[in-house]
Structure formats: C-alpha cells, structure tokens
Amino acid sequence: MKTRILSAFSLIAIALLSFKTVERRIVKKRFFTAAPSGNIYIVVDKSDYELNVYDDEGWYATYPVVFGNKDLSDKMVEGDRRTPEGKFKIISTRPHNKWHRMLMLDYPNQQSWAKFRQRQASGLIPRSAKIGGGIAIHGTWPNDNIVVDDFTNWTNGCIALKNEDIDDINSFLTIGTSVEIKR
C-alpha cells in the first residue's frame, strides 16, 4: 500500500514537472517618450530574440520576436527557413489576412546576392540553388502570441512579433527605414 501511494505521488510529481510554464515576454521602452523621433532604425538580434528600435536619442524600445529555423544561422538558400543577416530596408507595409500586418524587406538586396554568389563559388551551396525572397517583419496568427512568448521559431525566414507589437512599430516606421539583422 505504501509503495502504491509513493508511486502515485511520484507519477503526479513527474507529470507536474513535465508541464512547461510560459512567461509572457514584454516590450521594454524608454521612459517619458511617446514615440521615437528623428532618424529611426531597427536592429534585430537573432541571438537574443529581440527587435530593437533606435532613434536620434539612442535606444527607444525592445520587442520580443521569433524567426524561422531554430539554428539561427544566416539564410543560405530558398526554402531553408532561415532568417537572412545583413542590412535591409522596409519597402512596403500592408495588412495581411494570416499574419496581421507585413513590413516587407528588400531581401534579396545587393549584399545578399554577393554573399549568395560567394557561397556558390566556394561550393557551400549548389550552383542550382535559388536565393529566395519574400522576407518580412510580421505578426502572428490571430490569438497566437504564445509562439513569441515561448520562443517557437515557426516562420519561413521572416521575423514575427506579437500582433499588438507589429501595430505599435507600424505606427512610427516608414518605407525606407533601415533594418539590420544580426546574430
């Protein structure tokens, strides 16, 4: 009887420990500033899962983000689900029926093509490989912010924010805003 009770308590303890607790990741902003001013630019840090906004006064805000492939390395070829690294610009912004809002980046740009061709020339990727495209900063499925909170990399290489966060940054970013993506 004692063994059964002990076994039951052990199973309950194991079951409780197996549940993953997800902490809500929050936006951090500079105090006493309603919005960024002057020259605004974005730095996405893949290692920290953060999108940082800077303006003429320096750091303005940090937003939690997720990406495509879990290994976080630089995009090599079309379909690898990796988020490209480099310097880009926002070329369009629009609502999206699946991912709330899209801020399209100018990937592939000249820098992306140069890296891609160098990798082909050195044999890192096949000569027949394609570079891919359609990289954006966007929201999540409706009511699916948990993917950002629990660091679920689910995109095809894009950068995903919570829907309220993509709305927030869309309110002050413009076409032509610089975006640096690094690891």
Side-chain angles (χ1 to χ4, degrees):
M1 182 71 168
K2 238 182 186 179
T3 308
R4 279 188 182 163
I5 293 173
L6 193 54
S7 293
F9 279 125
S10 296
L11 286 173
I12 291 170
I14 290 169
L16 290 174
L17 290 173
S18 67
F19 285 106
K20 182 179 173 186
T21 308
V22 176
E23 242 180 79
R24 181 163 156 64
R25 296 173 63 204
I26 59 170
V27 174
K28 300 170 195 109
K29 287 188 177 181
R30 179 172 65 214
F31 286 113
F32 309 115
T33 307
S37 60
N39 183 36
I40 300 168
Y41 63 97
I42 303 294
V43 177
V44 176
D45 188 331
K46 295 189 328 185
S47 297
D48 290 334
Y49 285 77
E50 293 177 341
L51 181 151
N52 294 287
V53 178
Y54 296 89
D55 66 5
D56 287 344
E57 295 180 40
W59 174 83
Y60 170 73
T62 299
Y63 296 83
V65 295
V66 293
F67 308 103
N69 201 309
K70 281 199 179 289
D71 74 12
L72 300 182
S73 58
D74 194 10
K75 183 160 198 62
M76 300 287 274
V77 296
E78 180 178 66
D80 65 8
R81 296 188 54 240
R82 294 176 179 166
T83 303
E85 295 168 7
K87 294 186 180 193
F88 306 96
K89 293 201 179 306
I90 295 174
I91 58 170
S92 72
T93 176
R94 64 183 169 83
H96 192 273
N97 61 346
K98 287 184 186 174
W99 304 306
H100 192 66
R101 174 161 293 286
M102 302 276 287
L103 307 177
M104 294 302 299
L105 301 180
D106 65 342
Y107 176 85
N109 58 21
Q110 282 186 315
Q111 179 191 36
S112 308
W113 276 108
K115 284 195 297 187
F116 181 76
R117 289 186 182 115
Q118 190 278 326
R119 290 170 177 160
Q120 280 181 318
S122 66
L124 272 173
I125 57 175
R127 290 246 179 235
S128 61
K130 295 181 181 174
I131 194 168
I135 300 297
I137 300 170
H138 61 70
T140 65
W141 291 92
N143 306 309
D144 202 19
N145 285 337
I146 192 167
V147 296
V148 176
D149 288 335
D150 73 0
F151 298 87
T152 299
N153 289 334
W154 61 274
T155 75
N156 286 324
C158 294
I159 300 155
L161 291 90
K162 296 176 183 179
N163 291 340
E164 66 260 20
D165 296 345
I166 193 77
D167 286 341
D168 189 29
I169 67 170
N170 186 65
S171 72
F172 55 76
L173 294 181
T174 60
I175 297 201
T177 298
S178 295
V179 177
E180 180 181 2
I181 304 171
K182 64 182 187 171
R183 180 171 28 127

